[in-house]
Amino acid sequence: MKTPQGLQALIDDGVIDEVLRPLKSGKEAAVYVVRSGGEVRCAKVYKDMAQRSFQQRVQYQEGRKVRGSREARAVGKASKYGRRQQEAAWKNTEVDALYQLRAAGVRVPEPFGYFHGVLVMELVTDAEGFSAPRLGEVELTPPQALEFHSVLMRQVVRMLCCGLIHGDLSAYNVLVGPDGPIVIDFPQVVSAGGNNAARAMLLRDVNNLTASLGRWAPELLDTWYGEEMWALFQAGALQPETELTGEFEPDESTVDLDSVRHAINDAREEALIRQQGREAAEEAEA
């Protein structure tokens, strides 16, 4: 295939040998299957700010650190230099998160480096060696759904123990490999301690996964893992291997349980809308 413009510099520098095929294109980036040193990997080419359609960037960026005082002032003033710095920081966010989470034992693709604005990382495959399907594209038995939910809740806990929340987690940001689910796509990763919307985003992430897997194991719909995690995190009692029960006793004097249930339903609808948007984008790229 014709080499995409964003990958030519990597070929010129010998980082990758050739581009094999496009893998997917979304609102944040386009991903290609590439060959590098005899290994098949994937390369994620981030789209420039003008090309991206992702909304509510400010909410996600709250709490992220800017490298220097000059850069921080420029970002605050929204100058041209500041916007460039903000764009560079946005593109580095996923790279930094992947290295941090991989080191912490979270099930994420292995990163191999960041070159000319392109992230080169492990290509997650299925048992036959083909690109792994997304969780939202596979049919599961009830036991499989329960097992996958347990594995994913552990990943969310480990992320939270690193001070991070995925921020856009759903069945379409999880790949199903031979050994179980792998979490992908971290450009929207949120600081758990520095973002005022952190709790809401954590609950949305957990509710998205629970709603999807609850199709196969309906008993999951009566669990409260997100609330349990956040309460333990706030109390400083959450550890990477903390055993969760999925049970939580909210303070009914201050919590509107009906609103919580509505939020779960909203999460389900939002996951469907997001998937429809991804499919429309992929059809447009085809």
Side-chain angles (χ1 to χ4, degrees), residues 24 166 168-175 182-185 278:
K24 71 170 187 174
H166 187 286
D168 191 31
L169 190 54
S170 75
Y172 295 95
N173 286 327
V174 176
L175 299 178
I182 306 290
V183 182
I184 62 170
D185 291 342
R278 291 186 179 96

Side-chain angles (χ1 to χ4, degrees), residues 30-272:
V31 183
Y32 299 88
V33 179
V34 301
R35 193 180 303 280
S36 174
E39 298 289 334
V40 177
R41 296 174 177 169
C42 66
K44 188 169 188 175
V45 182
Y46 293 97
K47 295 181 179 179
D48 291 332
M49 186 177 291
Q51 297 176 281
R52 300 200 307 267
S53 61
F54 189 73
Q55 302 298 314
Q56 298 177 310
R57 296 189 190 97
V58 173
Q59 184 183 41
Y60 283 85
Q61 290 167 349
E62 181 185 349
R64 292 184 182 177
K65 295 181 179 179
V66 180
R67 297 185 186 279
S69 58
R70 180 193 174 201
E71 288 81 0
R73 289 194 300 271
V75 169
K77 293 178 180 178
S79 66
K80 186 175 181 180
Y81 173 75
R83 289 194 297 273
R84 288 200 304 269
Q85 291 300 310
Q86 193 172 35
E87 180 75 359
W90 176 84
K91 291 181 178 180
N92 278 289
T93 295
E94 179 168 29
V95 182
D96 295 342
L98 278 180
Y99 277 103
Q100 181 182 355
L101 295 174
R102 182 84 180 186
V106 181
R107 294 177 58 85
V108 299
E110 181 179 1
F112 294 112
Y114 182 59
F115 312 91
H116 303 289
V118 177
L119 171 61
V120 179
M121 57 185 169
E122 171 189 5
L123 174 66
V124 181
T125 59
D126 62 16
E128 284 74 43
F130 297 104
S131 301
R134 291 178 286 191
L135 180 59
E137 299 169 339
V138 300
E139 293 189 4
L140 302 173
T141 64
Q144 285 176 319
L146 291 171
E147 179 186 357
F148 282 11
H149 189 270
S150 176
V151 170
L152 287 168
M153 292 303 101
R154 179 61 50 206
Q155 308 321 302
V156 175
V157 165
R158 289 176 179 168
M159 285 188 270
L160 192 53
C161 289
C162 291
L164 299 175
I165 295 168
H166 187 286
D168 191 31
L169 190 54
S170 75
Y172 295 95
N173 286 327
V174 176
L175 299 178
V176 180
D179 300 323
I182 306 290
V183 182
I184 62 170
D185 291 342
F186 288 88
Q188 284 78 244
V189 68
V190 169
S191 168
N195 191 302
N196 288 325
R199 175 182 176 275
M201 291 186 183
L202 174 71
L203 297 185
R204 186 179 65 188
D205 282 355
V206 172
N207 288 341
N208 281 343
L209 294 176
T210 300
S212 294
L213 292 167
R215 294 170 52 205
W216 315 106
E219 59 267 39
L220 290 174
L221 301 178
D222 289 324
T223 59
W224 301 83
Y225 284 98
E227 290 83 353
E228 183 183 10
M229 286 179 206
W230 187 255
L232 290 169
F233 175 72
Q234 279 196 311
L238 187 68
Q239 299 296 323
E241 302 305 324
T242 297
E243 289 295 329
L244 300 177
T245 65
E247 299 176 358
F248 180 72
E249 291 294 334
D251 182 353
E252 297 188 19
S253 64
T254 58
V255 176
D256 184 346
L257 295 181
D258 288 336
S259 295
V260 173
R261 288 301 184 189
H262 286 312
I264 293 175
N265 290 332
D266 288 345
R268 294 177 188 171
E269 293 177 5
E270 182 174 348
L272 178 60

